[in-house]
Amino acid sequence: MRSVCVIGLGLIGGSVLRAAAAAGRTVWGATGSAADSDAAAADGYTVAAVADALKRAADEDALVVLAVPLPAVDQVLRQVADVAPHCLLTDVVSVKGPVADAVARHAPEARFAGGHPMAGTSASGWSASSTDLFRGAAWVVVADDDTEVAAWRAAADLAIDCGAHVVPVTADEHDAAVARISHLPHVLAAVLASCGADGGPLALALAAGSFGDGTRVMGSRPELVLAMCEGNRPALLGAVDDALGKLGAARGALASTGSLGATIRAGHSGRARLAELRAAGTTRVIVDLTDRDVIDELQSVGAQGGRVVAFEGDLAIAEIPAD
Amino acid sequence: MRSVCVIGLGLIGGSVLRAAAAAGRTVWGATGSAADSDAAAADGYTVAAVADALKRAADEDALVVLAVPLPAVDQVLRQVADVAPHCLLTDVVSVKGPVADAVARHAPEARFAGGHPMAGTSASGWSASSTDLFRGAAWVVVADDDTEVAAWRAAADLAIDCGAHVVPVTADEHDAAVARISHLPHVLAAVLASCGADGGPLALALAAGSFGDGTRVMGSRPELVLAMCEGNRPALLGAVDDALGKLGAARGALASTGSLGATIRAGHSGRARLAELRAAGTTRVIVDLTDRDVIDELQSVGAQGGRVVAFEGDLAIAEIPAD
């Protein structure tokens, strides 16, 4: 089993380190945060300086996992280029296009496949990390037309070892999708929380389930939300425009006809579609990773809402929702 | 203890019937739903035809609780005017201005104080009702300038007996507040669910906590959501306009400067304000219900985010959040 070097030991990086170790991998980490470094060392994990951790990764052909916030990616990549230029490399940052651009710019020799585990909590830091954070979660591993299959496989193996299933998609498809189902929810939650607070103490005293649910993610640290949303600016603009159009249409219908029927029924259908997809049976698909058009096949799995759940030799075992 | 007659035995009406009975009150109900009627009778509750239930309320000076959807209110009120024109009357409908208008139109002799318990689930019907639904919840009892104190007290006593605390506010203040913290959340959840579903199976396959939280209320029956939101049209239009303005400002800032800082920080503050108010200590205030300006005093309690938690004789014991 390939060793794993994790740079950044917050909630996600820390959980990767723990889960990979629990799966029997040799692991070590590095972080710029003294608090996270001390806490990880106190829990018995090997923590080194970033350059030393990367040097060891090069020596042992380990998989390097970038688990720092997007604004810190460039700096770590320059160290990768210095110390471990040809390493197997993935990341767990919440946008994939900008990270791919940064890798192409700073560490173009790295054997890179971007990643994004769709798991988290409103807490942060090593102290919030856990071995089980990714159990049952979706974990995107980017399959772009120029992705090296061995790099994709190395990142996907880690995701499976952490208890997740792997969703193979292009970086652009990923960024458009998460704009809709992760970043837009944060923007709408912020708008809702502001509108509620503007109603004064009476409005907040009456707030019950719908307001609590709709604003929950605003309990997260603003810096983390901002790094995530602002890092996906082009795709998020499209999603916000879609929401503005739909909200404006709801406004117009309510004002002119008194009806919100189209808005509420479409919302109900959308939520039902989510439940249906989760309850749907699946069709099993086998992707041979030695095929010439393996990237196309992987992209097709992801575009259909499917996922890779296991590997057997060079075969990826995928499940696709049945209609 | 005053007897209670509940018209409408769905989630809310059924829970009022159960909770009032559990508090030791004599209770009976009526409903146009054969399913709810059969289920309530099977659980041992007295269920009569609407006219018979109202006639008994007039004979025994019971409190009549309207627990039907807004579109059915007019019809029940005509029966009230026929059979029990001077009864003590409250309701549990989610908007208060339109119900007050309907009472003034159809049953002007009734001794009316509107109500709205801020509790519910996404389930509906008698089978979802429970004795404990209102325990710890806010329950608005309208204190308008023309509200008769005895009617307000009768409705507030019921709320306290059901385990709730009483928030006294004007109908207009109520409708403006719930537009922000209950109806707008449903509209934004509908918009979000549609935007997510428009992203296709990939987007829904990646949906995690923020999308699930932000769309949860779209699991409710569309008819109930529509009756609630459309019934509060004027106030909801104002809240939607506020949200459109804030979302448009976020869009503009993201497009022009790349920053969502103002949006996310305001949202974080709004959510924090909710948590602060819930954690805040309270100042105790006593309102003497025999005071000449008792309605003013009650309105002041509600406007400050306060609530009445008990009665002792003619004294209402209120708690107001301390700064």
Side-chain angles (χ1 to χ4, degrees), chain A residues 118 140 169 180-181 190 193-195 198-199 202-203 206-207 210-213 215-216 218 220 222 226 230 233 241 246 251 254-255 258-261 263-268 271 278 302, chain B residues 118 140 169 180-182 190 193-195 198-199 202-203 206-207 210-213 215-216 218 220 222 226 230 233 241 246 251 254-255 258-260 263-268 271 278 302:
Chain A
M118 308 301 294
V140 167
V169 295
R180 288 179 182 272
I181 53 79
S194 292
C195 287
D198 286 355
L202 169 63
L206 298 183
S210 64
F211 186 77
D213 284 346
T215 61
R216 181 159 301 117
M218 281 299 103
S220 303
L226 287 170
E230 292 172 1
R233 176 178 173 177
D241 283 341
K246 286 175 161 62
R251 201 275 176 212
L254 183 63
S259 172
L260 285 169
T263 298
I264 299 298
R265 288 200 182 85
H268 185 76
R271 173 79 190 182
R278 287 180 175 176
Chain B
M118 307 300 296
V140 167
V169 294
R180 287 179 182 272
I181 54 79
S182 175
S194 292
C195 288
D198 286 356
L202 169 62
L206 298 183
S210 64
F211 186 77
D213 284 347
T215 61
R216 181 160 300 118
M218 280 299 102
S220 303
L226 287 170
E230 292 172 359
R233 178 178 172 177
D241 283 342
K246 286 176 161 65
R251 201 271 176 216
L254 183 63
S259 172
L260 285 169
T263 298
I264 300 298
R265 290 203 179 85
H268 185 75
R271 173 81 189 179
R278 287 179 175 178

Coordinates of all heavy atoms in Angstrom, one line a residue, chain A residues 118 140 169 180-181 190 193-195 198-199 202-203 206-207 210-213 215-216 218 220 222 226 230 233 241 246 251 254-255 258-261 263-268 271 278 302, chain B residues 118 140 169 180-182 190 193-195 198-199 202-203 206-207 210-213 215-216 218 220 222 226 230 233 241 246 251 254-255 258-260 263-268 271 278 302:
Chain A
M118 N -16.5 15.1 -0.5 CA -17.7 15.9 -0.2 C -18.2 15.6 1.3 O -19.2 15.0 1.5 CB -18.8 15.5 -1.2 CG -18.4 15.6 -2.6 SD -17.9 17.3 -3.1 CE -19.4 18.2 -2.9
V140 N -14.8 13.2 -5.1 CA -14.5 13.5 -6.5 C -13.0 13.3 -6.8 O -12.1 13.8 -6.0 CB -14.8 14.9 -6.9 CG1 -14.2 15.3 -8.3 CG2 -16.4 15.1 -7.0
V169 N -15.0 13.0 -12.6 CA -15.6 14.0 -13.4 C -14.5 15.0 -13.9 O -13.4 15.0 -13.3 CB -16.6 14.9 -12.6 CG1 -17.9 14.1 -12.2 CG2 -16.0 15.5 -11.4
R180 N -23.6 24.8 -7.6 CA -25.0 24.7 -7.4 C -25.3 24.0 -6.0 O -26.3 24.4 -5.4 CB -25.6 23.8 -8.5 CG -25.7 24.5 -9.8 CD -26.3 23.6 -10.9 NE -26.4 24.3 -12.1 CZ -27.4 25.1 -12.5 NH1 -28.4 25.2 -11.8 NH2 -27.3 25.7 -13.7
I181 N -24.6 23.0 -5.6 CA -25.0 22.2 -4.5 C -24.2 22.5 -3.2 O -24.5 21.9 -2.2 CB -25.1 20.7 -4.8 CG1 -23.8 20.2 -5.3 CG2 -26.2 20.4 -5.8 CD1 -22.8 19.9 -4.4
A190 N -26.6 32.9 3.7 CA -26.2 34.2 4.2 C -27.3 35.2 4.0 O -27.6 36.0 4.9 CB -24.9 34.6 3.5
A193 N -30.1 34.5 6.5 CA -29.7 34.9 7.9 C -29.8 36.4 8.0 O -30.3 36.9 9.0 CB -28.3 34.4 8.2
S194 N -29.3 37.2 7.0 CA -29.4 38.6 7.1 C -30.8 39.1 7.1 O -31.2 40.0 7.8 CB -28.7 39.3 5.9 OG -27.3 39.0 5.9
C195 N -31.7 38.5 6.2 CA -33.1 39.0 6.1 C -33.8 38.7 7.5 O -34.6 39.5 7.9 CB -33.8 38.2 5.0 SG -33.4 38.8 3.4
D198 N -32.5 41.2 10.1 CA -33.1 42.5 9.9 C -34.5 42.6 10.4 O -35.0 43.7 10.5 CB -33.1 42.8 8.3 CG -31.7 43.1 7.8 OD1 -30.8 43.2 8.7 OD2 -31.5 43.3 6.6
G199 N -35.2 41.5 10.7 CA -36.5 41.5 11.3 C -36.5 41.8 12.8 O -37.6 41.9 13.4
L202 N -38.0 40.2 17.5 CA -39.3 39.5 17.3 C -39.1 38.4 16.3 O -39.5 37.2 16.6 CB -40.4 40.4 16.9 CG -41.7 39.7 16.5 CD1 -42.3 38.9 17.7 CD2 -42.7 40.7 16.0
A203 N -38.6 38.7 15.1 CA -38.4 37.7 14.1 C -37.6 36.5 14.6 O -37.9 35.4 14.4 CB -37.9 38.3 12.8
L206 N -39.2 34.2 16.9 CA -40.2 33.3 16.3 C -39.6 32.2 15.3 O -40.2 31.4 14.8 CB -41.2 34.1 15.5 CG -42.1 35.1 16.3 CD1 -43.1 35.8 15.4 CD2 -42.8 34.3 17.4
A207 N -38.3 32.4 15.1 CA -37.6 31.5 14.2 C -37.7 30.0 14.6 O -37.4 29.7 15.8 CB -36.1 31.9 14.0
S210 N -37.5 25.9 9.8 CA -37.1 26.3 8.4 C -36.0 27.3 8.4 O -35.1 27.2 7.6 CB -38.4 26.8 7.6 OG -38.9 28.0 8.2
F211 N -36.1 28.3 9.3 CA -35.0 29.3 9.4 C -33.7 28.6 9.9 O -32.6 28.9 9.5 CB -35.4 30.5 10.2 CG -34.5 31.6 10.2 CD1 -34.4 32.5 9.2 CD2 -33.6 31.8 11.3 CE1 -33.5 33.5 9.2 CE2 -32.7 32.9 11.3 CZ -32.7 33.7 10.3
G212 N -33.9 27.8 10.9 CA -32.7 27.1 11.5 C -32.0 26.3 10.5 O -30.8 26.3 10.3
D213 N -32.8 25.5 9.7 CA -32.2 24.6 8.7 C -31.5 25.5 7.6 O -30.4 25.2 7.1 CB -33.2 23.7 8.0 CG -33.7 22.6 8.9 OD1 -33.0 22.3 9.9 OD2 -34.7 22.0 8.6
T215 N -30.3 28.4 7.6 CA -29.1 29.2 7.9 C -28.0 28.5 8.6 O -27.0 29.1 9.0 CB -29.5 30.4 8.8 OG1 -30.1 29.9 10.1 CG2 -30.6 31.3 8.2
R216 N -28.1 27.2 8.8 CA -27.2 26.4 9.6 C -25.8 26.6 9.2 O -24.9 26.8 10.0 CB -27.6 24.9 9.6 CG -26.6 24.1 10.5 CD -27.2 22.7 10.9 NE -28.4 23.0 11.6 CZ -29.7 22.6 11.2 NH1 -29.8 21.9 10.1 NH2 -30.7 22.8 11.9
M218 N -24.2 29.0 8.1 CA -23.6 30.2 8.4 C -23.0 30.2 9.8 O -22.4 31.1 10.3 CB -24.7 31.4 8.4 CG -24.9 31.9 7.0 SD -23.4 32.6 6.2 CE -23.0 31.3 5.1
S220 N -20.5 28.2 10.2 CA -19.1 28.0 9.8 C -18.3 29.3 9.8 O -18.8 30.4 9.8 CB -19.0 27.4 8.4 OG -19.8 26.2 8.3
P222 N -16.5 32.4 8.7 CA -16.6 33.1 7.4 C -15.4 33.0 6.5 O -15.5 32.9 5.3 CB -16.7 34.6 7.9 CG -17.3 34.5 9.2 CD -16.8 33.2 9.8
L226 N -15.7 31.9 2.7 CA -15.2 32.9 1.6 C -14.2 32.2 0.7 O -14.2 32.4 -0.5 CB -14.7 34.1 2.3 CG -15.7 35.0 2.9 CD1 -15.1 36.1 3.7 CD2 -16.6 35.6 1.8
E230 N -15.4 32.1 -3.1 CA -14.7 33.0 -4.0 C -13.7 32.3 -4.9 O -13.5 32.8 -6.0 CB -13.9 34.1 -3.1 CG -14.9 35.0 -2.4 CD -14.2 36.0 -1.4 OE1 -12.9 35.9 -1.3 OE2 -14.9 36.7 -0.7
R233 N -15.4 31.4 -8.4 CA -16.1 32.6 -8.9 C -16.8 32.4 -10.2 O -18.0 32.7 -10.3 CB -15.1 33.8 -9.0 CG -15.6 35.1 -9.5 CD -14.5 36.1 -9.5 NE -14.8 37.3 -10.1 CZ -13.9 38.4 -10.1 NH1 -12.7 38.2 -9.5 NH2 -14.2 39.5 -10.7
D241 N -26.8 33.6 -10.8 CA -27.7 34.2 -11.8 C -28.9 33.3 -12.0 O -30.0 33.8 -12.1 CB -26.9 34.3 -13.1 CG -26.0 35.6 -13.1 OD1 -26.2 36.4 -12.3 OD2 -25.1 35.6 -14.0
K246 N -34.7 32.6 -10.9 CA -35.8 31.9 -10.3 C -36.5 32.7 -9.2 O -37.7 32.6 -9.1 CB -35.3 30.5 -9.8 CG -34.9 29.5 -10.9 CD -34.3 28.3 -10.3 CE -34.3 27.0 -11.2 NZ -33.6 27.2 -12.5
R251 N -41.1 36.1 -7.5 CA -41.5 37.4 -7.0 C -42.6 38.0 -8.0 O -43.7 38.5 -7.6 CB -40.4 38.4 -7.0 CG -40.5 39.6 -6.2 CD -41.2 40.8 -6.9 NE -41.4 41.9 -6.0 CZ -42.4 42.7 -6.0 NH1 -43.3 42.6 -7.0 NH2 -42.5 43.7 -5.1
L254 N -45.9 35.9 -7.7 CA -46.6 36.2 -6.5 C -47.3 37.6 -6.6 O -48.4 37.8 -6.1 CB -45.6 36.2 -5.3 CG -46.2 36.4 -3.9 CD1 -47.2 35.3 -3.5 CD2 -45.1 36.5 -2.8
A255 N -46.5 38.6 -7.1 CA -47.1 39.9 -7.2 C -48.2 40.0 -8.2 O -49.2 40.7 -8.0 CB -46.0 40.9 -7.6
G258 N -50.5 36.1 -7.5 CA -50.7 35.6 -6.1 C -50.3 34.2 -6.0 O -50.4 33.6 -4.9
S259 N -49.7 33.6 -7.0 CA -49.4 32.2 -7.0 C -47.9 32.0 -6.9 O -47.1 32.5 -7.7 CB -50.0 31.4 -8.2 OG -49.5 30.1 -8.2
L260 N -47.5 31.0 -6.0 CA -46.1 30.5 -6.0 C -46.0 29.1 -6.5 O -45.1 28.4 -6.3 CB -45.5 30.6 -4.6 CG -45.1 32.0 -4.2 CD1 -44.8 32.1 -2.7 CD2 -43.9 32.5 -5.0
G261 N -47.1 28.7 -7.2 CA -47.2 27.2 -7.5 C -46.0 26.7 -8.3 O -45.5 25.6 -8.0
T263 N -43.0 27.8 -8.6 CA -41.7 27.8 -7.8 C -41.7 26.7 -6.8 O -40.7 25.9 -6.7 CB -41.6 29.2 -7.0 OG1 -41.6 30.2 -7.9 CG2 -40.4 29.2 -6.1
I264 N -42.8 26.6 -6.0 CA -42.8 25.6 -4.9 C -42.8 24.1 -5.5 O -42.2 23.2 -5.0 CB -44.0 25.8 -4.0 CG1 -43.9 27.2 -3.3 CG2 -44.1 24.7 -2.9 CD1 -42.6 27.4 -2.5
R265 N -43.6 23.9 -6.6 CA -43.7 22.6 -7.1 C -42.3 22.2 -7.8 O -41.9 21.0 -7.6 CB -44.8 22.5 -8.2 CG -46.2 22.5 -7.5 CD -47.3 22.0 -8.3 NE -48.6 22.1 -7.5 CZ -49.3 23.2 -7.5 NH1 -49.0 24.3 -8.2 NH2 -50.4 23.3 -6.7
A266 N -41.7 23.1 -8.4 CA -40.3 22.8 -9.0 C -39.4 22.5 -7.8 O -38.5 21.5 -7.9 CB -39.8 24.0 -9.8
G267 N -39.5 23.2 -6.7 CA -38.6 22.9 -5.6 C -38.9 21.6 -5.0 O -38.0 20.8 -4.6
H268 N -40.2 21.3 -4.8 CA -40.5 20.0 -4.3 C -40.0 18.8 -5.2 O -39.5 17.8 -4.7 CB -42.1 19.9 -4.2 CG -42.6 18.7 -3.5 ND1 -42.5 18.5 -2.2 CD2 -43.2 17.6 -4.0 CE1 -43.1 17.3 -1.9 NE2 -43.5 16.7 -3.0
R271 N -36.2 18.4 -4.8 CA -35.9 17.7 -3.5 C -36.3 16.2 -3.7 O -35.5 15.4 -3.2 CB -36.6 18.4 -2.4 CG -36.5 17.7 -1.1 CD -35.2 17.9 -0.3 NE -35.1 17.0 0.8 CZ -34.1 17.0 1.7 NH1 -33.1 17.9 1.5 NH2 -34.0 16.2 2.7
R278 N -31.1 8.8 -4.4 CA -30.5 8.1 -3.3 C -31.1 6.7 -3.0 O -30.5 5.8 -2.6 CB -30.5 9.0 -2.0 CG -29.5 10.1 -2.2 CD -29.5 11.0 -1.0 NE -28.4 12.0 -1.2 CZ -28.2 13.0 -0.4 NH1 -28.9 13.2 0.7 NH2 -27.2 13.9 -0.6
G302 N -19.4 9.4 -14.0 CA -19.7 10.6 -13.2 C -20.8 11.4 -13.7 O -21.7 11.8 -12.9
Chain B
M118 N -45.5 28.2 16.7 CA -44.4 28.1 15.8 C -43.7 26.7 15.9 O -42.6 26.5 16.3 CB -43.3 29.1 16.1 CG -43.9 30.5 16.2 SD -44.6 31.1 14.6 CE -43.2 31.1 13.6
V140 N -47.5 32.4 19.1 CA -48.0 33.8 19.0 C -49.5 33.9 19.4 O -50.3 33.0 18.9 CB -47.8 34.3 17.6 CG1 -48.6 35.6 17.4 CG2 -46.3 34.5 17.3
V169 N -48.0 39.8 20.0 CA -47.6 40.8 18.9 C -48.9 41.2 18.2 O -49.9 40.5 18.2 CB -46.6 40.2 17.9 CG1 -45.3 39.9 18.6 CG2 -47.2 39.0 17.3
R180 N -40.3 36.7 7.0 CA -38.8 36.6 7.0 C -38.3 35.3 7.5 O -37.3 34.8 7.0 CB -38.2 37.7 7.9 CG -38.3 39.1 7.3 CD -37.7 40.2 8.2 NE -37.9 41.5 7.6 CZ -37.0 42.0 6.8 NH1 -35.9 41.4 6.5 NH2 -37.2 43.2 6.2
I181 N -38.9 34.7 8.5 CA -38.2 33.6 9.2 C -39.0 32.2 8.9 O -38.5 31.2 9.3 CB -38.0 33.8 10.7 CG1 -39.3 34.2 11.4 CG2 -37.0 34.8 10.9 CD1 -40.2 33.0 11.7
S182 N -40.0 32.3 8.2 CA -40.7 31.0 7.8 C -41.1 30.9 6.3 O -40.8 29.9 5.7 CB -42.0 30.9 8.7 OG -42.7 29.7 8.3
A190 N -37.0 26.4 -2.2 CA -37.5 25.9 -3.5 C -36.5 26.3 -4.6 O -36.2 25.5 -5.5 CB -38.9 26.5 -3.7
A193 N -33.4 24.1 -4.4 CA -33.7 22.7 -4.9 C -33.8 22.7 -6.4 O -33.3 21.8 -7.0 CB -35.0 22.2 -4.2
S194 N -34.4 23.7 -7.0 CA -34.5 23.7 -8.5 C -33.1 23.9 -9.1 O -32.8 23.3 -10.1 CB -35.4 24.9 -8.9 OG -36.7 24.7 -8.5
C195 N -32.3 24.8 -8.5 CA -31.0 25.1 -9.1 C -30.2 23.8 -9.0 O -29.4 23.5 -9.9 CB -30.3 26.2 -8.3 SG -30.9 27.8 -8.7
D198 N -31.4 21.2 -11.5 CA -31.0 21.6 -12.9 C -29.6 21.3 -13.2 O -29.2 21.3 -14.4 CB -31.2 23.1 -13.1 CG -32.7 23.5 -13.2 OD1 -33.5 22.6 -13.2 OD2 -32.9 24.7 -13.3
G199 N -28.8 21.0 -12.2 CA -27.4 20.5 -12.4 C -27.3 19.1 -12.8 O -26.2 18.6 -13.0
L202 N -25.2 14.4 -11.7 CA -23.9 14.6 -11.1 C -24.0 15.5 -9.9 O -23.5 15.2 -8.8 CB -22.9 15.2 -12.1 CG -21.6 15.7 -11.5 CD1 -20.8 14.6 -10.8 CD2 -20.7 16.4 -12.5
A203 N -24.7 16.7 -10.1 CA -24.8 17.7 -9.0 C -25.5 17.0 -7.8 O -25.1 17.2 -6.7 CB -25.6 18.9 -9.5
L206 N -23.4 14.7 -5.8 CA -22.4 15.4 -5.0 C -23.0 16.1 -3.8 O -22.3 16.7 -3.0 CB -21.5 16.3 -5.8 CG -20.7 15.7 -6.9 CD1 -19.9 16.7 -7.6 CD2 -19.8 14.6 -6.4
A207 N -24.3 16.2 -3.8 CA -25.0 17.1 -2.7 C -24.7 16.5 -1.4 O -24.8 15.3 -1.1 CB -26.5 17.1 -3.0
S210 N -24.8 21.0 3.1 CA -25.4 22.4 2.9 C -26.6 22.3 2.0 O -27.6 23.0 2.3 CB -24.3 23.3 2.4 OG -23.9 22.9 1.1
F211 N -26.6 21.5 1.0 CA -27.8 21.4 0.1 C -28.9 20.6 0.8 O -30.1 21.0 0.7 CB -27.4 20.6 -1.2 CG -28.4 20.6 -2.2 CD1 -28.7 21.7 -3.0 CD2 -29.2 19.5 -2.5 CE1 -29.7 21.7 -4.0 CE2 -30.2 19.4 -3.4 CZ -30.5 20.6 -4.2
G212 N -28.6 19.6 1.5 CA -29.6 18.9 2.3 C -30.3 19.8 3.3 O -31.5 19.8 3.4
D213 N -29.5 20.5 4.1 CA -30.1 21.5 5.1 C -31.0 22.5 4.4 O -32.1 22.8 4.8 CB -29.0 22.2 5.9 CG -28.4 21.3 6.9 OD1 -29.0 20.2 7.2 OD2 -27.4 21.6 7.4
T215 N -32.5 22.6 1.6 CA -33.7 22.2 0.8 C -34.7 21.3 1.6 O -35.7 20.9 1.1 CB -33.3 21.4 -0.5 OG1 -32.6 20.2 -0.1 CG2 -32.4 22.2 -1.4
R216 N -34.4 21.1 2.9 CA -35.1 20.1 3.7 C -36.6 20.4 3.7 O -37.5 19.5 3.5 CB -34.6 20.1 5.1 CG -35.4 19.0 6.0 CD -34.6 18.6 7.2 NE -33.3 18.0 6.8 CZ -32.1 18.5 7.1 NH1 -32.1 19.6 7.9 NH2 -31.0 18.0 6.7
M218 N -38.5 21.5 1.5 CA -39.2 21.2 0.3 C -39.7 19.7 0.3 O -40.3 19.3 -0.6 CB -38.3 21.4 -0.9 CG -38.2 22.9 -1.3 SD -39.9 23.5 -1.8 CE -40.3 24.5 -0.4
S220 N -41.9 19.0 2.5 CA -43.3 19.2 2.9 C -44.2 19.2 1.7 O -43.8 19.4 0.5 CB -43.4 20.5 3.6 OG -42.6 20.7 4.7
P222 N -46.5 20.4 -1.1 CA -46.6 21.7 -1.8 C -47.8 22.4 -1.5 O -47.8 23.7 -1.3 CB -46.5 21.3 -3.3 CG -45.8 20.0 -3.3 CD -46.2 19.3 -2.1
L226 N -47.8 26.2 -0.1 CA -48.4 27.2 -0.9 C -49.5 28.0 -0.1 O -49.6 29.2 -0.2 CB -49.1 26.6 -2.2 CG -48.0 26.2 -3.2 CD1 -48.7 25.4 -4.3 CD2 -47.4 27.5 -3.8
E230 N -48.7 31.9 0.2 CA -49.5 32.7 -0.6 C -50.5 33.5 0.3 O -50.9 34.6 -0.1 CB -50.3 31.9 -1.6 CG -49.4 31.3 -2.7 CD -50.1 30.3 -3.7 OE1 -51.3 30.0 -3.5 OE2 -49.4 29.8 -4.6
R233 N -49.1 37.1 1.3 CA -48.6 37.7 0.1 C -48.0 39.1 0.3 O -46.8 39.3 -0.1 CB -49.7 37.8 -1.0 CG -49.4 38.5 -2.2 CD -50.6 38.4 -3.1 NE -50.5 39.2 -4.4 CZ -51.5 39.2 -5.3 NH1 -52.5 38.4 -5.1 NH2 -51.3 39.9 -6.4
D241 N -38.3 40.8 -1.8 CA -37.6 41.9 -2.4 C -36.3 42.2 -1.6 O -35.3 42.5 -2.2 CB -38.5 43.2 -2.3 CG -39.5 43.2 -3.5 OD1 -39.3 42.4 -4.4 OD2 -40.5 43.9 -3.4
K246 N -30.4 41.7 -1.6 CA -29.1 41.2 -1.0 C -28.4 40.2 -1.9 O -27.2 40.2 -2.0 CB -29.5 40.5 0.4 CG -29.8 41.5 1.5 CD -30.3 40.7 2.8 CE -30.2 41.6 4.0 NZ -31.1 42.7 4.0
R251 N -24.1 39.2 -5.9 CA -23.7 38.9 -7.3 C -22.8 40.0 -7.9 O -21.8 39.8 -8.5 CB -25.0 38.8 -8.2 CG -24.9 38.1 -9.5 CD -24.5 39.0 -10.6 NE -24.3 38.2 -11.8 CZ -23.4 38.4 -12.7 NH1 -22.5 39.4 -12.6 NH2 -23.3 37.6 -13.8
L254 N -19.3 39.9 -6.2 CA -18.5 38.8 -6.7 C -18.0 39.0 -8.1 O -16.9 38.8 -8.4 CB -19.4 37.5 -6.6 CG -18.7 36.2 -7.0 CD1 -17.5 35.9 -6.1 CD2 -19.7 35.0 -7.1
A255 N -18.9 39.6 -8.9 CA -18.5 39.8 -10.3 C -17.5 41.0 -10.4 O -16.5 40.9 -11.2 CB -19.8 40.2 -11.2
G258 N -14.7 40.2 -6.9 CA -14.4 38.8 -6.5 C -14.6 38.5 -5.1 O -14.3 37.4 -4.6
S259 N -15.2 39.5 -4.3 CA -15.4 39.3 -2.9 C -16.9 39.1 -2.5 O -17.7 39.8 -3.0 CB -14.9 40.5 -2.1 OG -15.2 40.4 -0.7
L260 N -17.1 38.1 -1.6 CA -18.4 37.9 -1.0 C -18.4 38.3 0.5 O -19.2 37.9 1.2 CB -18.9 36.5 -1.2 CG -19.4 36.1 -2.6 CD1 -19.5 34.6 -2.7 CD2 -20.7 36.8 -2.9
T263 N -21.4 39.9 2.2 CA -22.6 39.0 2.2 C -22.4 37.9 3.3 O -23.3 37.7 4.1 CB -22.8 38.3 0.9 OG1 -23.0 39.3 -0.1 CG2 -23.9 37.3 0.9
I264 N -21.2 37.2 3.3 CA -21.0 36.1 4.2 C -20.9 36.6 5.6 O -21.4 36.0 6.5 CB -19.8 35.3 3.7 CG1 -20.0 34.7 2.3 CG2 -19.5 34.2 4.7 CD1 -21.2 33.8 2.1
R265 N -20.2 37.7 5.8 CA -20.1 38.2 7.2 C -21.4 38.6 7.8 O -21.7 38.4 9.0 CB -19.0 39.3 7.3 CG -17.6 38.8 7.0 CD -16.5 39.7 7.6 NE -15.2 39.0 7.2 CZ -14.6 39.1 6.1 NH1 -15.1 40.0 5.1 NH2 -13.5 38.5 5.8
A266 N -22.3 39.3 7.0 CA -23.6 39.7 7.5 C -24.4 38.4 7.8 O -25.1 38.4 8.8 CB -24.3 40.5 6.4
G267 N -24.3 37.4 7.0 CA -25.0 36.1 7.2 C -24.5 35.5 8.5 O -25.3 35.0 9.3
H268 N -23.2 35.5 8.7 CA -22.6 34.9 9.9 C -23.1 35.6 11.1 O -23.5 35.0 12.1 CB -21.1 34.9 9.8 CG -20.4 34.2 10.9 ND1 -20.3 32.9 11.0 CD2 -19.7 34.8 12.0 CE1 -19.6 32.6 12.1 NE2 -19.2 33.7 12.7
R271 N -26.8 34.8 11.9 CA -26.9 33.5 12.5 C -26.4 33.5 13.9 O -27.0 32.9 14.9 CB -26.1 32.4 11.7 CG -26.0 31.1 12.3 CD -27.3 30.2 12.1 NE -27.2 29.0 12.9 CZ -28.1 28.1 12.9 NH1 -29.2 28.2 12.2 NH2 -28.0 27.0 13.7
R278 N -30.8 33.2 21.9 CA -31.3 32.0 22.6 C -30.5 31.7 23.8 O -31.0 31.1 24.8 CB -31.2 30.8 21.6 CG -32.3 30.9 20.6 CD -32.3 29.8 19.5 NE -33.5 30.0 18.7 CZ -33.8 29.2 17.6 NH1 -33.0 28.2 17.3 NH2 -34.8 29.4 16.9
G302 N -43.5 41.5 23.2 CA -43.2 40.7 21.9 C -42.2 41.4 21.1 O -41.3 40.8 20.5

